[in-house]
Amino acid sequence: MAEMEIDVRGQTCPVPLVECRKALKKASPGDLVIVKGTHPASRKEIPMACEAMGLTVLEIEDKEGGKEWEIKIRR
């Protein structure tokens, strides 16, 4: 299993979601995709999109006192 990290800090919608989807398409089943961002709406939209795609969101973690977030997704 591979691990892929997507850094979309400072980006606003729809960039974080688009970059996340690109990474998930490239990932193999079982791979871990870690998305790091700052945009509050993307923190909500990315997990909803992943669940709609049938993927497992392993963790959503707030960082830097809530200014940043990290979402871990299992492909």
Side-chain angles (χ1 to χ4, degrees), residues 9-50:
R9 289 177 283 193
Q11 301 290 326
T12 58
C13 283
V15 175
L17 181 58
V18 170
E19 292 301 317
C20 179
R21 284 186 176 178
K22 283 184 194 176
L24 290 167
K25 284 183 182 177
K26 290 180 185 175
S28 297
D31 286 356
L32 178 65
V33 176
I34 301 170
V35 185
K36 295 182 177 189
T38 52
H39 192 247
S42 296
R43 183 189 180 281
K44 295 176 185 172
E45 290 173 359
I46 290 171
M48 287 190 310
C50 290

Side-chain angles (χ1 to χ4, degrees), residues 3 6 16-19 31 42 48 58-59 64 69 71-72:
E3 187 174 294
I6 308 304
L17 181 58
V18 170
E19 292 301 317
D31 286 356
S42 296
M48 287 190 310
L58 301 175
E59 183 179 11
E64 301 296 324
W69 45 260
I71 301 171
K72 295 181 181 177

